Amino acid sequence: MGMVTRRTALMMAAVAAALRVPNALARVAAGSPHTQNRLWYRRPAATWNEALPVGNGHMGAMLFGRVGQERLQLNENTLWAGAPYSPENPDAREALPLVRALIDAGRYQDADKLASERMMAKPLWQMSYGTLGDLLLTFPDAKVPDDYERDLDIANAIATVGYRSGAARFRRELFASAPDGVIVLRLEAKAGRISFALDHRGPRNVDYPSPDYDGPATATVSTGAIDWLMRENSADSAAGVVIAPDGSGAMLVTGRNAAGSGVPSGLTYAIRVQIVGDGAIDATERGLTVRDATSVTLLISAATSYIDYRDTGGDPVAKVREATRAAARKSYAALRRRHVADHRALFDRFRIDLGYTSSAGRPTDTRIAEGDTSDDPALAALYTQYARYLMIASSRIGGQAANLQGLWNEGLNPPWGSKYTININTEMNYWPADPTALDECVEPLLRMVEEMAVTGAKTARAMYGANGWVAHHNTDLWRATAPIDGPFAGLWPCGGAWLCNTLWNHWDHVRDDALLERLYPLLAGASQFFLDTLVEDQKGRGLVTSPSISPENQHPFGSAVCAGPAMDRQIVRDLFDNTMTAGQRLKRDPALIGLIGKARMRIAPDRIGATGQLQEWLDDWDMNAPDIHHRHVSHLYAVYPSGQINVRDTPALIDAAKETLRQRGDLTTGWGTAWRACLWARMGDGEHAHRILLGLLGPRRTYPNLFDAHPPFQIDGNFGGAAAIVEMIAQSWGGEVRLLPALPLAWPNGSVRGMRLRGGLTLDLIWRGSKVESFVLRGKPGQEVQLWSSGKVQRVTLDAMGLHRHQSTIA
């Protein structure tokens, strides 16, 4: 620190914490623009997993940064296949007791066969999320560039491409504006001119790599010669897509969505691109041309006819014309300024600093290629902020919830349909939202669950003869809730319950009374379903679900179908607890709350198996299951994200959970790796969590653009990895706040600002030498907080301003 004394530095750290600003003295080395909140590269994207994403919660784009032909791949969050449909199977209700009887008799394969024939949804498959295709800007006079650089500034949400060609310098900026509802691409030239042809390539199928759960992902740095002047064919637009001029300097693309699984196409869509610039702008059969410009701005809007999950009668052409014409009346500087202010209002709430090494100055793809071996703590901090960037871009108020790929998908046949898989993946998407101060981004998930409660009530009545509502392991834009795909994955009735628990966790962070009023009907309805459908275990061990599965895992008897898997019992316990707490706070439904309380006490408890593991099933089948290294760790839900099993209250069950994880192993899919890191962090083993995290951030599980490699791309790993990182720094469960509960040795010095905790608390924290140096807690005046730090517990009371400040003793 040069001439700065330790006493002065500590005093300034305390002031920084109190003022909620980062401690600048502690990170003198952080000044390089290549180290903070920025992805950067020295080459264009060769593949989609190297392109850079932007999004405004409604529209998304992937920027490739190519010199000869820029590719801008587009998405709109309501462009899914199909139309409103009802997938309930009318035979299910009659088959239900027969399937239960077969399970009770131990005839699991017969139960599976009958459920497959009579209990699954019709159609058996849900609808897929699709793409709008690509905008292609072809530059006829492009040459191999000098001084090329491509980057994504996640603090300002702007992707940039810059290079030199002879004496001319060229620059492109791309952002997706939420306040103006457009994607904006700006092209500028100094000592040169810009000329290009703009056309559209329609939606198409894409060849994705086959998932390989045990081997390496295809997440490697591009090698070999770079095709700077690459040009792709744009003549293969999808059938039915119409491209036409739309007034001066604008083109309009219209089309229909795809049909799916026997459900006909029900949506129309429109894309409008308006060009503003100082060159000659002309219309062609394929699109637009620009000649001899020094600056050009493309204003892009996309919409579908989707109004809600029941209504597809909107006018997308009117929407895109209104958005682009309104944006064209503003200057580029004004559009950029409004966009940055809107994004930073969310992004700047949370900061994280884990330290810097020389690795932080390298291009992002190089850092990832060395991520599992190099000393690069700043990469973990960047990964956390990148997840927050993706959350802001893909889940905004008024839009759809983040799906399996968030907002971005380049084909009509995405992996797993890019749906909402609600037996882990959708829930994981939202794990870091509240801890990293993005509570508004949960609103689309809440609205989705409110809509699912309507469709799920129909499923509960038709298929189970039950009150309340239910959802199984997947849903889509049309809020389908019946079991899909087959019994192995689909015959699982706890998807809606887990979503309710996720939303309760959201409320627990923000403690908003209006939010609780919205949540209570969802909680009560989901609880009512289980009051009507839980059954007595045949061996007298308590109430269980039947039929069900432990998500996507086969037990030793040739099936996944069973009764009372551990995850179900854990989820329903949380659901019942949350419903009772909400009902009591709101003074609602005392009779219902009483019934829930009685049923809660009778749910079969968690069990420890013969090898010391936490049992996945009610019987001790784990070590004889076909896949003991299964990527799902469903029965550890009680450890994380729940807190039923924890290091303070249930040490024996924690030991069993650790044994389960040792048997399962650390290497798995991207999201499975992230979940394991969260679990080890929650259990206080920072070194193990960090070791797993290094694998997640390395080339086996992270693509060059920092997208999670399932493989292929799945965004939940990004969100789960970020959740693990903040869980290593601070935790809040069981009415207690824990500081540095799982800090690895690799992060001896660091800070977080604006971290949200359960109980409506906010934390600013600085640590040095792996020990707490100073922190500030914020909440309600007079609020009492049980605080754990360095193995000691104390109770603190927030002052009249709702604050508690701590500064370690100055030597």
Side-chain angles (χ1 to χ4, degrees):
M1 292 187 180
M3 299 299 294
V4 179
T5 67
R6 173 171 170 76
R7 177 179 295 273
T8 301
L10 288 171
M11 291 176 64
M12 294 184 71
V15 172
L19 294 177
R20 301 186 69 193
V21 297
N23 181 7
L25 281 178
R27 291 294 174 266
V28 176
S32 168
H34 293 310
T35 61
Q36 290 184 323
N37 297 329
R38 183 172 180 261
L39 286 65
W40 73 283
Y41 309 84
R42 292 194 175 104
R43 63 181 70 218
T47 68
W48 192 84
N49 288 317
E50 298 177 7
L52 297 175
V54 300
N56 63 8
H58 296 265
M59 290 183 294
M62 298 288 286
L63 182 73
F64 284 69
R66 296 171 180 169
V67 173
Q69 182 189 69
E70 181 61 271
R71 177 185 172 193
L72 203 63
Q73 185 268 310
L74 299 175
N75 290 104
E76 201 278 347
N77 68 350
T78 62
L79 186 58
W80 291 63
Y85 70 106
S86 295
E88 285 74 29
N89 187 334
D91 295 334
R93 184 171 177 177
E94 182 179 345
L96 176 63
L98 305 177
V99 172
R100 283 175 173 163
L102 290 170
I103 292 171
D104 289 344
R107 296 169 58 186
Y108 299 106
Q109 292 187 40
D110 292 336
D112 187 294
K113 183 174 184 295
L114 181 60
S116 180
E117 293 170 352
R118 300 184 60 186
M119 289 196 70
M120 304 311 295
K122 294 184 176 182
L124 188 58
W125 317 106
Q126 287 178 354
M127 304 302 108
S128 294
Y129 179 56
T131 177
L132 289 163
D134 306 288
L135 293 178
L136 301 174
L137 286 72
T138 305
F139 301 89
D141 55 352
K143 298 179 177 61
V144 174
D146 298 309
D147 301 332
Y148 179 94
E149 193 167 292
R150 177 171 61 102
D151 81 347
L152 176 62
D153 175 356
I154 61 175
N156 290 309
I158 297 175
T160 304
V161 177
Y163 58 91
R164 181 171 55 84
S165 181
R169 288 197 169 273
F170 297 92
R171 180 179 175 84
R172 304 173 199 164
E173 285 192 342
L174 178 75
F175 59 84
S177 170
D180 286 297
V182 290
I183 293 173
V184 181
L185 176 62
R186 174 77 165 184
L187 300 93
E188 296 177 347
K190 291 185 178 180
R193 291 289 185 269
I194 301 167
S195 298
F196 63 87
L198 171 70
D199 55 7
H200 174 265
R201 176 170 62 190
R204 56 192 178 141
N205 289 331
V206 172
D207 292 329
Y208 294 99
S210 298
D212 181 0
Y213 299 129
D214 299 314
T218 55
T220 55
V221 179
S222 298
T223 58
I226 304 170
D227 187 356
W228 295 101
L229 307 182
M230 179 177 182
R231 292 174 171 83
E232 298 187 42
N233 181 16
S234 62
D236 58 344
S237 290
V241 175
V242 177
I243 306 172
D246 192 46
S248 177
M251 63 182 280
L252 182 69
V253 181
T254 55
R256 296 193 65 86
N257 71 329
S261 300
V263 178
S265 166
L267 290 170
T268 60
Y269 68 83
I271 309 166
R272 189 174 192 265
V273 184
Q274 185 162 346
I275 298 182
V276 179
D278 59 7
I281 303 171
D282 297 305
T284 70
E285 282 188 6
R286 294 285 317 164
L288 300 169
T289 61
V290 175
R291 298 190 309 279
D292 298 326
T294 60
S295 65
V296 180
T297 304
L298 277 67
L299 305 170
I300 305 159
S301 182
T304 77
S305 58
Y306 181 86
I307 294 176
D308 62 34
Y309 66 101
R310 297 163 296 194
D311 187 348
T312 61
D315 184 348
V317 173
K319 290 179 184 177
V320 298
R321 282 178 174 156
E322 179 182 0
T324 50
R325 288 170 178 170
R329 291 192 287 270
K330 299 181 178 75
S331 68
Y332 173 73
L335 291 168
R336 190 183 192 277
R337 186 168 55 250
R338 282 164 53 84
H339 159 70
V340 170
D342 172 79
H343 176 76
R344 295 204 75 131
L346 293 170
F347 188 85
D348 286 351
R349 292 176 181 172
F350 175 88
R351 296 188 183 182
I352 182 170
D353 173 6
L354 301 176
Y356 294 84
T357 66
S358 59
S359 296
R362 300 177 182 178
T364 305
D365 48 356
T366 303
R367 295 172 74 182
I368 294 166
E370 300 171 355
D372 53 359
T373 58
S374 67
D375 179 17
D376 190 0
L379 182 60
L382 176 64
Y383 194 85
T384 305
Q385 291 287 37
Y386 185 62
R388 297 182 69 245
Y389 168 83
L390 296 175
M391 176 65 68
I392 296 168
S394 63
S395 186
R396 297 290 293 269
I397 292 174
Q400 299 299 311
N403 61 48
L404 280 175
Q405 295 188 184
L407 181 62
W408 303 274
N409 160 40
E410 67 171 332
L412 292 173
N413 58 329
W416 298 277
S418 196
K419 298 187 294 293
Y420 299 103
T421 301
I422 57 177
N423 65 13
I424 173 59
N425 311 96
T426 302
E427 291 86 355
M428 183 180 286
N429 280 0
Y430 288 90
W431 286 355
D434 286 296
T436 66
L438 294 178
D439 45 281
E440 289 98 330
C441 293
V442 185
E443 166 65 24
L445 181 69
L446 171 57
R447 186 162 38 82
M448 183 178 86
V449 177
E450 288 175 327
E451 294 169 349
M452 290 172 63
V454 178
T455 57
K458 184 177 179 182
T459 301
R461 288 191 303 271
M463 300 186 68
Y464 292 88
N467 296 302
W469 70 279
V470 65
H472 294 79
H473 90 298
N474 263 282
T475 192
D476 57 19
L477 182 72
W478 313 109
R479 310 314 187 217
T481 54
I484 65 161
D485 296 345
F488 177 81
L491 200 62
W492 184 69
C494 290
W498 193 353
L499 289 173
C500 283
N501 293 341
T502 299
L503 294 173
W504 175 263
N505 179 68
H506 170 51
W507 173 82
D508 205 9
H509 278 80
V510 300
R511 292 294 179 98
D512 177 76
D513 291 341
L515 174 61
L516 191 61
E517 291 279 357
R518 287 180 68 181
L519 284 186
Y520 179 72
L522 306 177
L523 296 167
S527 293
Q528 182 65 66
F529 171 80
F530 288 103
L531 288 179
D532 289 356
T533 57
L534 290 175
V535 297
E536 292 283 353
D537 169 58
Q538 291 296 294
K539 297 180 182 178
R541 290 169 291 190
L543 292 177
V544 296
T545 51
S546 181
S548 190
I549 61 168
S550 189
E552 302 181 42
N553 199 10
Q554 184 175 325
H555 55 64
F557 303 100
S559 171
V561 175
C562 65
M567 184 189 228
D568 288 19
R569 308 190 317 266
Q570 296 164 1
I571 286 175
V572 175
R573 274 197 292 269
D574 270 354
L575 174 68
F576 282 178
D577 286 343
N578 298 337
T579 306
M580 288 189 291
T581 301
Q584 290 160 2
R585 288 180 69 100
L586 296 172
K587 297 180 171 56
R588 299 277 186 86
D589 303 328
L592 175 64
I593 299 304
L595 291 173
I596 292 172
K598 292 177 181 178
R600 163 69 171 83
M601 298 299 293
R602 296 171 57 211
I603 295 173
D606 289 303
R607 302 165 69 88
I608 298 175
T611 64
Q613 90 287 2
L614 191 70
Q615 287 183 195
E616 183 162 3
W617 293 276
L618 198 55
D619 291 292
D620 193 359
W621 295 341
D622 298 54
M623 294 310 294
N624 294 317
D627 183 8
I628 62 170
H629 301 299
H630 192 57
R631 63 194 182 279
H632 285 259
V633 283
S634 301
H635 49 313
L636 302 190
Y637 163 91
V639 178
Y640 187 99
S642 179
Q644 293 176 40
I645 297 175
N646 62 71
V647 294
R648 182 189 66 196
D649 304 320
T650 58
L653 291 175
I654 282 289
D655 288 343
K658 290 180 179 179
E659 179 58 28
T660 288
L661 285 174
R662 284 190 284 267
Q663 293 174 5
R664 285 287 164 98
D666 293 341
L667 180 62
T668 180
T669 61
W671 63 261
T673 302
W675 196 357
R676 284 158 171 78
C678 288
L679 287 160
W680 283 109
R682 175 62 65 85
M683 295 188 294
D685 192 336
E687 296 310 309
H688 201 146
H690 184 255
R691 188 161 64 247
I692 294 171
L693 183 68
L694 290 179
L696 182 66
L697 300 185
R700 294 170 69 89
R701 287 295 174 259
T702 294
Y703 289 114
N705 63 0
L706 271 186
F707 272 175
D708 169 66
H710 183 291
F713 165 55
Q714 217 168 269
I715 203 168
D716 37 36
N718 289 100
F719 294 133
I725 290 165
V726 296
E727 192 75 12
M728 294 158 78
I729 296 168
Q731 298 175 12
S732 56
W733 47 262
E736 189 169 273
V737 170
R738 294 190 157 222
L739 304 181
L740 306 184
L743 188 74
L745 295 174
W747 306 341
N749 305 308
S751 64
V752 291
R753 193 205 76 177
M755 184 174 174
R756 304 286 175 83
L757 305 170
R758 292 172 181 84
L761 297 167
T762 300
L763 172 70
D764 300 340
L765 172 66
I766 297 173
W767 65 93
R768 298 288 175 266
S770 299
K771 295 184 181 298
V772 172
E773 180 178 274
S774 63
F775 68 87
V776 179
L777 271 176
R778 294 173 177 79
K780 292 183 178 179
Q783 184 174 353
E784 291 190 345
V785 180
Q786 185 165 301
L787 189 68
W788 181 98
S789 180
S790 300
K792 299 178 181 178
V793 178
Q794 62 176 317
R795 185 167 291 276
V796 301
T797 302
L798 305 190
D799 64 19
M801 306 240 347
L803 298 175
H804 174 75
R805 293 183 175 92
H806 169 83
Q807 175 68 45
S808 63
T809 303
I810 299 175

